[in-house]
Amino acid sequence: MSRKKNKSPIKPGRIRRRKPDPRQEEGPSRNETPEAPKTGEDLPDIIEALTGTTGPAGLFGDGEDMTGPEPSDIPQELPVLAVRDIVVFNYMILPLFVGRDKSVQAVDAALSGDRYILILTQKDESVEDPTPDDLYMTGTVGMIMRMLKMPDGRLKVLVQGLARAKVKRFTANDPYHIAELEPLIEPEVGRLTSEQEALIRSSREQSERILSLRGISSQDIMSVLNNVSEPGRLADLIASNLRMKVGAAQKILECHDPLERLEMVNGQLLKEVEVASMQSKIQAMAKEGMDKAQRDFYLREQLKAIKRELGDDADENEEMEELKKGLRKSGMPKEVMKEATKQLRRLESMHAESSEATVIRTYLDWMIELPWKKLSRDRLDIKQAEKILNDDHYDLEKVKERILEYLSVRKLNSKMKGPILCFVGPPGVGKTSLGRSIARSLGRKFHRMSLGGMRDEAEIRGHRRTYIGAMPGRIIQAIKQCGTRNPVVMLDEIDKLGSDFRGDPSSALLEVLDPEQNFSFTDYYLNVPFDLSKVMFICTANMLDSIPGPLRDRMEVIRIPGYTEQEKTAITRRYIIPRQVRENGLKDGEISISDRLVAKVVREYTREAGLRNVEREVGTLCRKMARKKAEGESGPFKVTAKNLYTLLGPPRFLDDEKETELPPGVAVGLAWTPVGGELLHIEVTTMPGKGKLTLTGKLGDVMKESAQAALSIARARADEYGIDPAFSEKQDIHVHVPAGATPKDGPSAGVTLVTALISALTDTPVSPDLAMTGEISLRGRVLPVGGIKEKILAAVSRGMKKVLIPAQNKKDLSEIPDELRKRITIKTIEKVDEVWPLARKK
């Protein structure tokens, strides 16, 4: 047999021990993967032939000195090296990259001993820290021949398979796996029968056929195969270089009988012959296509030369080629590519300086730059996403839970559509910043789009290209800026959309925010469908009333109510103070303020559902301290109860603003506003007259009707409340709600109107510590209302001790924090008759 001289320092099939170079550096890596040795004269041609690659995965001897160690020479316990994507067979020599801590320590343990190591394959290659259950129990005892420490910190070891072995049990798992093993002694094959000889010949013939299909000279290679006469060794030689899945290779390794193992290898060879035949056919077809492409290329080159001789601008040709190249690489769908190609042909036939050519060139630039296929890879680590959300925002458990639910479903179903969320709440509660945190937790790009005051439908759908200066809509612009097809797009202030003669943007958003339609959203400028189904749209609004019903129906509404005093204090301590310290040029620890004083700032200097005024006040404190530092004073600067009023001025809101006594005819109601809950004083006075009812305070129609209903209830139940039944004939009634310049309306003032009316007619004052909310019916039922949490927050912040709410709103009390419910007594009422006994002053 003719063989090229082996120039490798390690002779194939033999074990040559060499100590590692102590000068090389150590460092961890992430995985253990096989690396193909470089092609050269020192590698047998058979490896390249059977793998079809220029870098073989294994290295075998030529039949010379290929005996393994005696079973008695192999220790009963060996360190375990877990590998993935490969199964090591006997006599196989291959390099491995080692980087995991346990694997590195296993290699070190083997090198410090007799260099034996047990190589086991992982069942699941994605497991980073495999346990014994993650490993196959049959593997190969290997010898570490050389070790090299790479510049990037990984170890590169050269191992040779020596003998198959089966794990009895794992004796240790830390700091690395150690296994008690049993070497598998291969039974000797006696005189071969004719059937067995046929099997060996078939294996050789199938190997030769694979070589011929791949166009590789097989004379020297077949000489090597013909020299190996033992069935088991021949099976190992061929199996280690076949393209097989790990499971199939592991079954061959676990097969103990040499002839049965060769039968399994022969079956794999038959499959490989089929694949190689089909591959050869495909390559022949591809070659025909390449010949045609070459012919077209030569013709195009000649056409370019003719154009150059005619004096055509070379830059224009280069620009056309760049456009064609960009279209090919853009990943457009077939129907979109058809439209783009059509426009490109039109451009080629136009004069470069024409105005229409400029329009088409700009259009093609937009088409090329859009991310038709590019997707950001979602961060599907639920725990990490939860940590990011908790780090960025305090509380808001419902929102965080919804995002984590989306991530969980996305992890299980990669084809799910993006959700359409709508955060509704007062200003300053963190709706916009929450969108940024969601994008960061998902690992996606973020784009914020303000819709406040938008009146033109073209802002959403884009302008048609017939207009001068036409541009795509802001949705497509956002996709282009993000450079990915699945960003997080925040549609801010969606409740403030307008409409006029130019169209209705809210109607245009119906397609954008509908998961059943937005997979083929058509922008007027592009005039081709674009898939928005992977985009996560997050809308924000202060109130839902101004959002059209069909648009509201397409969104999943998540309400973000105002914060309690304790929540504001915690958020101020955790987020606002550190941010303001940095923004005002101070360092951590240079300003000191206790939690008690933070709560005092929140209580006495702000009265809102959000945190914007809190941030302004904290910013004022930081600026005062920054000035002291700039003037030469040294910190830390401490805010105390004595200097707080000097720094911020007198308190803007005091708890004693609540009236200690209410005159007859005055009751305190609770109202909901876009900026949180408010207390509403309703005043009723009587005077001699003929039963006329006067309503003042810029009341809306709903409140006017509630006042009429309250008067009817008082007249119908005058005897029950001790009211003169003839009062409607002798007295005029005037109902007034202070702050007359502020419009007031809504279905939650009925209970308060009835209470104030009864108080005036009976000349009995109402308890000053009581606030109430609820609508009434003429039958005396108390009907449910909305905004319970905001209203109770307002009652607590104004020092109220008791609140009356409709019984049907009892379910909303689950949203009230326990620490807030401890500070106020909440009573539920079903009928109007229950209100007056609770409301009148004892």
Side-chain angles (χ1 to χ4, degrees):
M1 179 185 66
S2 62
R3 281 287 305 274
K4 296 180 181 180
K5 184 178 180 181
N6 192 330
K7 299 180 181 180
S8 172
I10 302 173
K11 185 174 181 180
R14 296 189 178 183
I15 300 172
R16 178 176 177 179
R17 301 192 180 188
R18 180 175 178 179
K19 294 183 179 180
D21 189 349
R23 295 172 295 176
Q24 296 165 345
E25 299 177 353
E26 295 188 9
S29 180
R30 294 185 64 249
N31 49 20
E32 287 71 63
T33 54
E35 185 214 22
K38 296 181 180 178
T39 305
E41 294 182 352
D42 57 336
L43 299 181
D45 294 335
I46 185 173
I47 306 303
E48 177 180 344
L50 289 181
T51 59
T53 62
T54 57
L59 179 62
F60 281 81
D62 52 7
E64 175 190 2
D65 193 18
M66 293 181 66
T67 58
E70 295 295 330
S72 58
D73 296 337
I74 299 175
Q76 293 184 351
E77 288 188 357
L78 286 177
V80 175
L81 175 63
V83 297
R84 41 189 166 190
D85 291 335
I86 192 171
V87 175
V88 179
F89 290 88
N90 285 356
Y91 314 108
M92 183 178 181
I93 299 176
L94 80 164
L96 294 172
F97 284 119
V98 180
R100 291 183 287 198
D101 292 340
K102 286 188 176 181
S103 301
V104 171
Q105 295 188 54
V107 170
D108 290 340
L111 291 173
S112 62
D114 48 17
R115 291 180 173 251
Y116 286 116
I117 193 165
L118 179 61
I119 303 171
L120 299 179
T121 304
Q122 292 182 203
K123 298 176 182 177
D124 184 357
E125 64 181 58
S126 63
V127 177
E128 287 294 331
D129 186 13
T131 62
D133 294 336
D134 297 322
L135 303 173
Y136 289 106
M137 291 294 101
T138 301
T140 302
V141 176
M143 168 72 73
I144 299 177
M145 304 171 66
R146 294 178 66 184
M147 187 274 288
L148 180 67
K149 295 179 181 176
M150 307 297 291
D152 60 359
R154 294 182 294 176
L155 298 181
K156 184 176 178 182
V157 294
L158 187 68
V159 297
Q160 179 180 25
L162 300 179
R164 285 193 300 277
K166 186 175 182 180
V167 176
K168 290 183 177 180
R169 64 188 182 92
F170 283 85
T171 58
N173 294 320
D174 286 312
Y176 54 87
H177 295 301
I178 300 177
E180 181 181 343
L181 56 90
E182 175 187 357
L184 298 178
I185 303 174
E186 186 165 310
E188 293 185 3
V189 180
R191 185 181 182 86
L192 296 176
T193 65
S194 58
E195 182 180 353
Q196 294 167 350
E197 184 65 34
L199 178 63
I200 293 176
R201 291 184 182 181
S202 175
S203 299
R204 291 169 178 164
E205 289 173 0
Q206 297 298 338
S207 301
E208 185 175 10
R209 188 175 177 189
I210 293 174
L211 297 174
S212 64
L213 286 172
R214 289 178 177 163
I216 300 173
S217 177
S218 60
Q219 182 177 358
D220 293 343
I221 298 173
M222 293 310 301
S223 298
V224 175
L225 291 178
N226 291 331
N227 281 345
V228 180
S229 58
E230 298 179 16
R233 190 163 295 174
L234 181 62
D236 291 341
L237 170 62
I238 299 174
S240 61
N241 293 283
L242 278 177
R243 297 169 180 171
M244 292 186 292
K245 295 183 178 179
V246 171
Q250 183 67 29
K251 287 182 181 179
I252 294 175
L253 180 70
E254 294 174 355
C255 183
H256 192 51
D257 184 77
L259 292 170
E260 184 179 349
R261 191 158 74 249
L262 187 58
E263 284 185 14
M264 296 173 69
V265 170
N266 192 55
Q268 292 292 333
L269 280 170
L270 291 173
K271 293 180 183 179
E272 188 67 21
V273 167
E274 293 180 6
V275 174
S277 299
M278 183 57 65
Q279 186 177 4
S280 177
K281 182 178 179 181
I282 293 172
Q283 287 175 349
M285 295 171 61
K287 185 178 181 182
E288 292 179 6
M290 288 177 63
D291 292 341
K292 183 180 181 301
Q294 274 189 330
R295 176 177 172 274
D296 293 344
F297 173 75
Y298 291 137
L299 291 176
R300 289 194 189 96
E301 289 298 317
Q302 291 175 6
L303 184 60
K304 286 182 182 179
I306 293 171
K307 287 184 177 181
R308 281 196 297 268
E309 291 297 325
L310 293 175
D312 290 347
D313 192 2
D315 293 337
E316 180 182 347
N317 295 330
E318 291 178 5
E319 182 180 1
M320 291 299 172
E321 289 301 321
E322 288 179 3
L323 289 174
K324 291 177 183 178
K325 184 178 179 182
L327 290 176
R328 288 194 298 269
K329 292 184 177 181
S330 63
M332 298 178 185
K334 187 175 180 180
E335 62 273 18
V336 179
M337 179 63 77
K338 183 178 179 181
E339 175 64 20
T341 306
K342 175 183 174 182
Q343 296 298 327
L344 183 60
R345 291 199 192 102
R346 290 184 61 201
L347 180 62
E348 288 177 330
S349 63
M350 292 179 183
H351 192 276
E353 301 301 324
S354 66
S355 58
E356 191 172 0
T358 304
V359 172
I360 296 178
R361 192 178 292 108
T362 305
Y363 171 79
L364 291 174
D365 287 339
W366 271 96
M367 297 286 280
I368 292 171
E369 292 174 9
L370 282 175
W372 296 96
K373 283 190 175 181
K374 185 178 179 182
L375 292 169
S376 298
R377 186 175 181 180
D378 284 346
R379 182 187 288 114
L380 299 178
D381 188 341
I382 311 299
K383 296 294 184 183
Q384 179 66 16
E386 184 178 14
K387 181 179 183 301
I388 291 174
L389 291 173
N390 289 332
D391 288 345
D392 290 352
H393 285 84
Y394 181 85
D395 198 22
L396 302 180
E397 296 301 327
K398 282 189 176 181
V399 184
K400 296 175 182 176
E401 183 179 1
R402 179 64 183 87
I403 299 305
L404 296 177
E405 288 172 356
Y406 166 75
L407 274 179
S408 303
V409 176
R410 173 69 178 78
K411 188 173 185 178
L412 301 177
N413 179 14
S414 60
K415 297 182 179 180
M416 74 170 295
K417 298 176 181 177
I420 314 294
L421 306 179
C422 181
F423 298 154
V424 180
V429 295
K431 300 185 293 297
T432 303
S433 60
L434 186 59
R436 291 192 180 90
S437 296
I438 291 173
R440 194 163 72 91
S441 65
L442 294 173
R444 295 189 182 185
K445 298 290 185 66
F446 176 80
H447 183 87
R448 175 185 168 273
M449 183 188 309
S450 178
L451 303 182
M454 183 183 292
R455 295 178 176 273
D456 191 352
E457 180 186 359
E459 292 278 349
I460 303 298
R461 286 193 174 276
H463 301 83
R464 299 189 187 276
R465 295 198 303 276
T466 53
Y467 298 105
I468 298 175
M471 291 286 289
R474 295 178 64 182
I475 299 293
I476 294 297
Q477 292 182 35
I479 298 294
K480 178 191 172 186
Q481 290 176 18
C482 293
T484 176
R485 197 160 55 89
N486 62 340
V488 175
V489 176
M490 171 158 282
L491 305 178
D492 217 0
E493 309 294 349
I494 197 171
D495 57 330
K496 298 174 179 60
L497 280 171
S499 62
D500 60 10
F501 65 93
R502 291 170 291 184
D504 185 3
S506 62
S507 299
L509 283 173
L510 292 177
E511 182 184 1
V512 175
L513 300 182
D514 191 342
E516 300 301 324
Q517 300 180 35
N518 63 9
F519 67 90
S520 60
F521 171 74
T522 301
D523 186 276
Y524 287 156
Y525 181 85
L526 300 181
N527 202 30
V528 291
F530 190 89
D531 186 4
L532 298 178
S533 61
K534 298 296 184 181
V535 179
M536 174 183 273
F537 288 102
I538 300 177
C539 308
T540 69
N542 295 132
M543 56 194 306
L544 289 174
D545 298 345
S546 59
I547 302 176
L551 183 58
R552 184 168 63 246
D553 183 60
R554 282 163 167 76
M555 300 184 292
E556 180 181 344
V557 177
I558 300 177
R559 295 188 178 273
I560 304 178
Y563 298 106
T564 65
E565 180 181 313
Q566 288 73 18
E567 289 171 342
K568 288 182 180 180
T569 302
I571 294 171
T572 303
R573 170 62 65 187
R574 186 179 299 182
Y575 303 104
I576 296 178
I577 291 178
R579 181 166 61 243
Q580 287 296 327
V581 166
R582 291 192 301 271
E583 291 179 359
N584 286 280
L586 299 173
K587 297 180 181 178
D588 294 339
E590 285 190 333
I591 181 171
S592 172
I593 179 170
S594 65
D595 289 344
R596 183 178 61 84
L597 288 179
V598 172
K600 192 177 183 67
V601 171
V602 171
R603 184 172 55 254
E604 296 184 0
Y605 290 86
T606 66
R607 188 154 291 174
E608 58 175 346
L611 293 157
R612 289 179 179 168
N613 285 327
V614 175
E615 183 144 10
R616 292 188 186 101
E617 299 300 330
V618 173
T620 300
L621 288 175
C622 292
R623 288 194 300 273
K624 301 286 187 184
M625 302 308 177
R627 179 180 175 182
K628 291 183 179 181
K629 181 178 179 180
E631 291 175 349
E633 294 185 28
S634 58
F637 306 101
K638 188 173 183 180
V639 179
T640 63
K642 292 182 179 180
N643 65 7
L644 179 64
Y645 296 148
T646 304
L647 297 171
L648 294 182
R652 295 176 179 81
F653 307 97
L654 298 174
D655 289 339
D656 58 6
E657 285 182 354
K658 176 178 67 66
E659 298 183 37
T660 57
E661 293 290 336
L662 293 178
V666 179
V668 180
L670 293 171
W672 181 91
T673 71
V675 296
E678 287 289 342
L679 262 61
L680 200 65
H681 287 76
I682 295 181
E683 301 174 355
V684 177
T685 186
T686 60
M687 63 205 78
K690 298 181 180 180
K692 179 183 177 182
L693 177 62
T694 303
L695 303 173
T696 57
K698 209 169 185 179
L699 307 183
D701 292 339
V702 178
M703 285 193 71
K704 290 178 180 178
E705 293 173 1
S706 296
Q708 294 284 354
L711 180 59
S712 298
I713 289 175
R715 291 177 62 185
R717 308 188 182 198
D719 292 334
E720 298 178 18
Y721 297 121
I723 302 172
D724 182 7
F727 78 92
S728 60
E729 301 174 358
K730 301 177 182 179
Q731 293 177 312
D732 288 342
I733 299 174
H734 185 175
V735 178
H736 177 69
V737 182
T742 305
K744 308 168 191 70
D745 201 4
S748 61
V751 170
T752 313
L753 285 166
V754 169
T755 304
L757 192 58
I758 296 174
S759 173
L761 294 173
T762 59
D763 199 28
T764 304
V766 177
S767 173
D769 296 323
L770 174 71
M772 61 194 76
T773 185
E775 185 57 301
I776 57 172
S777 69
L778 288 177
R779 294 180 296 167
R781 294 177 59 231
V782 178
L783 305 179
V785 294
I788 293 297
K789 181 177 180 180
E790 290 88 344
K791 292 175 179 179
I792 292 178
L793 281 172
V796 172
S797 65
R798 298 298 180 90
M800 294 293 167
K801 304 299 182 185
K802 186 185 296 184
V803 170
L804 303 182
I805 65 171
Q808 295 184 47
N809 285 114
K810 189 174 183 179
K811 64 182 184 303
D812 298 318
L813 296 180
S814 60
E815 299 179 2
I816 311 298
D818 292 336
E819 45 88 17
L820 193 64
R821 296 178 65 176
K822 292 177 183 178
R823 300 174 57 187
I824 195 167
T825 302
I826 303 173
K827 297 285 186 181
T828 58
I829 49 177
E830 292 183 0
K831 298 182 178 180
V832 173
D833 297 337
E834 301 172 24
V835 177
W836 182 242
L838 296 171
R840 66 185 178 186
K841 186 177 180 181
K842 307 301 181 183

